[in-house]
Amino acid sequence: MRKLYKSIFIILLFCGCGSQDGQRMLDRAGAVIDDYPDSAIAILDNIDENTLSRNQRMRRLLILTNAQNKCDTIFRSDSVQRILVDYYERHGSPSDRMLAHYLLGRAYYDMGEMPMALDAYISALADTTGNEHDYYQLTRISAQMSKIYYDQNLLDNQIDCINQSVRYALLAKDTLGAINNYVQKAKSYDLLGRSDSVISICEKASRLFMERGLERQSSQMMALLALHYIKRGKFEKARQSLDIYRTKSGYFDNDNNIESNRIIYYSILGEYYTSIERYDSAEYYFRKELHEGKDFNNQNAGSRGLALLYQQIHQPDSAAKYALYSYAMNDSAYDQLVTKDIERMKNMYNYTRLQKLAHQTEKESKQKSTLIKGIIFVFILLLLFVLYFVQRYKQKRKNENRIYKSTIDELEKTQMDILILRQHEEDYQDVIKEKERNIVELQEQINKYQQNHKQKKDELQTAKENSPLFKKIYKMEASGQELSSDDMQALRQYVVEHSPNCYKFISDNQYNLNVMEFNTCILIRLGYAPKVISHFLNCSPAYISKIRITLLKRMYGMEGKPQEFDQRLKLID
């Protein structure tokens, strides 16, 4: 409150002193800008520019733009910043030139022109000759450069910039700022898979925070630290870190539920419990991750964790289910990532603006002009390469999918040929055997495609909800219509694609199913009631019941009710 009163007093003082020396007001604004940038703006607004010299007017503009930046103003244009750069290239101190280039970089950053922002920041860092270094400013420039490099996945460059920012913060005697910048290296080393470096950084940063009485900041390092302890087999340390994170970080409510943007913590708990073979707890937290975390990272972490857990406890069906879910998400994420990369490259460089900028900088040296043209050329080449790659990838997937659909059609047709030929098996034994060999080959091709593309095998009932085919079948069911041969063929193809193991089971030569029996199995697997099946196949419900009892004995070797056959068939995916 004392600082606030001081700031208000300064504003009131200068509001009533319009005739006082403008330089004195500039000095006052510069003195309060770091702690009270809004107050500095108020002081500058009350200066009569007509009483200022050109140097003072430029000084006022530099302080005003810096104060606006400190107030998180989003710059939509670089016109003011370029005026400042042009002026302070020939006037003022190295610190003034550094600040002007930095503010130009901030404008380019807000406008989405990252290469130009980096260029401006590099120019700002170049103005550090002499004895009057502004180390606080140098710290901010290096830190913001590191963020740009991190967003572009240039992690080595980011780490170099972080090291610079830490060094400048220490020279500025800003120990807390140095620690906060140092911590950012852990994210990069995490992405690089360098667990030892992550552990070293987190342990040191946590200790330094603790030495300064910042227990919460120290505790907030523990989740990432625990993850890498687990990777290194240091389970007791991982447990201690997770306990500290839960009790001291401030991210949990009274019911021990973590903030919604930090739900990835549950996957770390799941990995920890999996590692110490407490599988029930591991499953609980991985499922909690899936239930509460709706974004890609949480869904992928939860499904991947469950897949590895079920693999470890020898439940291959469950492991495959969640592995396929994780793979399908990664496949989808890859397509999205390629698209985002294209958009990011487009946003990173505004070609129209570069042309305008070239006209504004005609008097600059030939070397700088050549550099700009080179950057444009490189980005055009990169953009063309990515577009070519995406188009080629989509065409490849389209061709493979066409072959896959054709294979399914051929498999279904071959199966129906066998069903018909079996009615005259004595005359067509050789033909039947040849087609059975063909079926095995076709099924192998379908399985290979599904494995290569990590297809997600949804439950049939879920898949049916969004299928135009089943919307049509639903209307026929409501009106009690018989299915046409084309409709039945479409349903058989659907089971081939979405429940291949079931199709393979009912196609087995040893069961010798006729066409009516085969179609009955298809409709049962799709979840239709016996009465509906009798309408679809134009026969009596009693005949459908007889088929089910017969198939229960033939396929499962047991006597029982028709419903028992239905239950068993529906369990096959």
Side-chain angles (χ1 to χ4, degrees):
M1 290 299 292
R2 187 177 296 175
K3 287 186 177 181
L4 179 60
Y5 292 147
K6 179 182 177 182
S7 175
I8 296 173
F9 174 76
I10 291 171
I11 296 172
L12 293 175
L13 175 64
F14 288 106
C15 284
C17 300
S19 61
Q20 293 202 13
D21 182 26
Q23 183 60 47
R24 183 183 173 192
M25 298 179 73
L26 290 173
D27 293 339
R28 292 294 184 181
V32 301
I33 188 172
D34 288 327
D35 294 328
Y36 305 105
D38 53 342
S39 299
I41 293 173
I43 294 171
L44 295 171
D45 286 343
N46 284 279
I47 297 178
D48 184 2
E49 288 193 58
N50 295 324
T51 65
L52 301 179
S53 65
R54 183 176 182 232
N55 179 61
Q56 289 173 329
R57 287 198 300 273
M58 296 306 299
R59 184 71 181 170
R60 176 188 175 278
L61 187 59
L62 181 66
I63 297 172
L64 177 62
T65 308
N66 191 25
Q68 290 171 341
N69 178 59
K70 290 180 181 292
C71 290
D72 296 325
T73 299
I74 296 177
F75 297 116
R76 306 296 184 186
S77 168
D78 68 339
S79 56
V80 172
Q81 289 82 353
R82 289 203 60 79
I83 291 172
L84 292 171
V85 167
D86 291 340
Y87 179 80
Y88 283 106
E89 281 289 343
R90 301 182 301 276
H91 307 86
S93 66
S95 291
D96 292 333
R97 288 195 296 275
M98 177 178 67
L99 179 57
H101 281 290
Y102 166 71
L103 292 172
L104 180 61
R106 290 295 302 140
Y108 285 138
Y109 185 90
D110 287 347
M111 296 162 66
E113 298 180 6
M114 302 309 171
M116 300 302 293
L118 279 174
D119 185 62
Y121 288 151
I122 292 170
S123 297
L125 291 177
D127 288 322
T128 57
T129 56
N131 298 320
E132 47 174 342
H133 298 321
D134 184 350
Y135 291 115
Y136 281 102
Q137 191 66 51
L138 290 169
T139 301
R140 286 192 289 271
I141 295 171
S142 300
Q144 290 176 25
M145 287 179 67
S146 73
K147 185 179 186 304
I148 294 176
Y149 283 130
Y150 182 84
D151 290 340
Q152 298 181 46
N153 290 321
L154 300 173
L155 301 181
D156 290 334
N157 300 72
Q158 188 224 8
I159 291 169
D160 290 340
C161 286
I162 290 176
N163 290 335
Q164 272 191 321
S165 68
V166 171
R167 181 168 67 86
Y168 289 135
L170 292 175
L171 288 171
K173 303 188 186 308
D174 180 13
T175 307
L176 182 57
I179 300 172
N180 284 325
N181 287 333
Y182 175 73
V183 165
Q184 301 306 313
K185 290 169 61 175
K187 296 180 181 178
S188 298
Y189 284 127
D190 181 36
L191 293 175
L192 291 169
R194 295 168 59 177
S195 290
D196 290 340
S197 298
V198 175
I199 290 172
S200 175
I201 291 169
C202 291
E203 287 180 343
K204 183 177 180 180
S206 178
R207 184 176 67 255
L208 291 172
F209 278 132
M210 238 7 206
E211 289 173 358
R212 283 153 184 79
L214 301 172
E215 185 181 39
R216 174 169 290 188
Q217 288 89 330
S218 174
S219 304
Q220 290 168 358
M221 308 292 303
M222 293 296 123
L224 182 59
L225 188 55
L227 177 62
H228 287 273
Y229 278 148
I230 295 168
K231 292 180 179 180
R232 284 287 178 264
K234 300 178 180 180
F235 303 127
E236 180 58 23
K237 285 190 174 183
R239 183 193 62 78
Q240 293 172 359
S241 299
L242 290 170
D243 288 343
I244 293 172
Y245 185 77
R246 179 174 52 82
T247 57
K248 305 293 185 180
S249 67
Y251 294 148
F252 295 78
D253 60 20
N254 294 333
D255 297 323
N256 280 329
N257 294 314
I258 199 168
E259 295 175 356
S260 60
N261 61 335
R262 303 181 189 278
I263 290 176
I264 198 73
Y265 160 78
Y266 293 131
S267 72
I268 300 176
L269 274 178
E271 289 195 35
Y272 167 72
Y273 285 119
T274 301
S275 300
I276 64 172
E277 299 182 358
R278 288 180 56 182
Y279 300 126
D280 289 344
S281 297
E283 181 180 11
Y284 171 81
Y285 284 108
F286 283 134
R287 290 190 179 279
K288 191 174 180 68
E289 177 95 11
L290 284 174
H291 177 70
E292 297 185 14
K294 302 304 181 184
D295 63 16
F296 167 78
N297 288 332
N298 287 302
Q299 290 293 301
N300 187 48
S303 58
R304 180 179 176 276
L306 285 171
L308 294 175
L309 168 65
Y310 287 128
Q311 183 180 13
Q312 190 164 328
I313 61 177
H314 307 296
Q315 293 186 19
D317 290 342
S318 296
K321 173 182 176 182
Y322 287 101
L324 288 170
Y325 179 51
S326 178
Y327 290 155
M329 290 189 65
N330 281 320
D331 198 32
S332 174
Y334 175 78
D335 289 341
Q336 294 177 21
L337 182 61
V338 172
T339 303
K340 287 181 179 179
D341 281 343
I342 295 173
E343 291 299 321
R344 183 175 66 180
M345 293 178 71
K346 287 180 179 178
N347 293 333
M348 281 176 62
Y349 232 88
N350 187 323
Y351 299 104
T352 303
R353 171 161 182 76
L354 284 176
Q355 293 175 353
K356 181 180 177 182
L357 180 61
H359 289 298
Q360 294 175 345
T361 57
E362 286 178 348
K363 296 181 180 180
E364 294 184 0
S365 67
K366 184 180 293 186
Q367 182 179 5
K368 190 171 182 179
S369 176
T370 303
L371 176 63
I372 293 174
K373 291 177 182 178
I375 294 174
I376 296 174
F377 180 72
V378 170
F379 270 86
I380 290 176
L381 286 180
L382 288 174
L383 183 59
L384 290 175
F385 173 77
V386 173
L387 288 172
Y388 169 76
F389 175 79
V390 171
Q391 185 62 32
R392 184 177 177 182
Y393 175 78
K394 288 183 177 179
Q395 186 62 40
K396 180 182 177 183
R397 289 296 296 268
K398 183 178 179 180
N399 291 338
E400 290 177 346
N401 189 59
R402 177 177 53 78
I403 295 172
Y404 173 65
K405 295 292 186 183
S406 175
T407 306
I408 290 177
D409 291 342
E410 187 176 352
L411 174 62
E412 194 277 334
K413 181 179 180 301
T414 305
Q415 181 59 46
M416 290 311 300
D417 289 345
I418 287 181
L419 291 176
I420 295 171
L421 290 171
R422 281 176 181 164
Q423 298 175 10
H424 310 281
E425 187 167 357
E426 294 180 357
D427 298 328
Y428 298 101
Q429 286 185 357
D430 293 338
V431 178
I432 291 174
K433 289 180 180 179
E434 178 61 29
K435 287 187 176 290
E436 287 174 346
R437 284 193 294 268
N438 191 23
I439 283 178
V440 172
E441 293 175 358
L442 292 171
Q443 287 176 333
E444 288 178 354
Q445 292 178 27
I446 291 172
N447 292 337
K448 184 178 180 181
Y449 177 90
Q450 291 175 337
Q451 291 173 0
N452 288 340
H453 296 281
K454 303 176 181 64
Q455 289 191 326
K456 177 182 174 183
K457 296 182 180 178
D458 294 329
E459 293 294 336
L460 279 177
Q461 297 306 318
T462 303
K464 286 167 58 179
E465 294 176 1
N466 302 316
S467 171
L469 168 64
F470 286 97
K471 292 179 180 179
K472 174 186 176 183
I473 300 298
Y474 177 78
K475 293 179 181 179
M476 298 178 70
E477 176 185 350
S479 59
Q481 295 182 42
E482 178 184 356
L483 294 178
S484 68
S485 59
D486 289 341
D487 294 330
M488 198 64 229
Q489 181 182 0
L491 292 176
R492 288 193 295 268
Q493 290 175 344
Y494 196 84
V495 173
V496 170
E497 186 170 359
H498 293 275
S499 187
N501 290 332
C502 180
Y503 193 91
K504 183 177 180 181
F505 174 70
I506 63 179
S507 301
D508 198 315
N509 182 40
Q510 65 175 316
Y511 301 131
N512 293 319
L513 302 187
N514 59 37
V515 175
M516 181 64 77
E517 292 170 337
F518 192 86
N519 289 341
T520 300
C521 289
I522 291 292
L523 294 171
I524 290 172
R525 183 61 187 87
L526 290 171
Y528 292 107
K531 185 176 181 180
V532 175
I533 295 174
S534 68
H535 289 308
F536 282 165
L537 300 181
N538 193 22
C539 61
S540 67
Y543 184 58
I544 297 300
S545 296
K546 180 180 178 182
I547 289 176
R548 291 151 65 203
I549 293 173
T550 301
L551 293 181
L552 179 64
K553 184 174 182 180
R554 188 190 308 171
M555 300 173 77
Y556 292 100
M558 60 181 292
E559 302 283 351
K561 298 179 179 179
Q563 293 83 354
E564 295 180 35
F565 175 74
D566 299 350
Q567 293 169 357
R568 290 175 178 272
L569 193 62
K570 289 177 182 179
L571 291 175
I572 307 174
D573 61 15

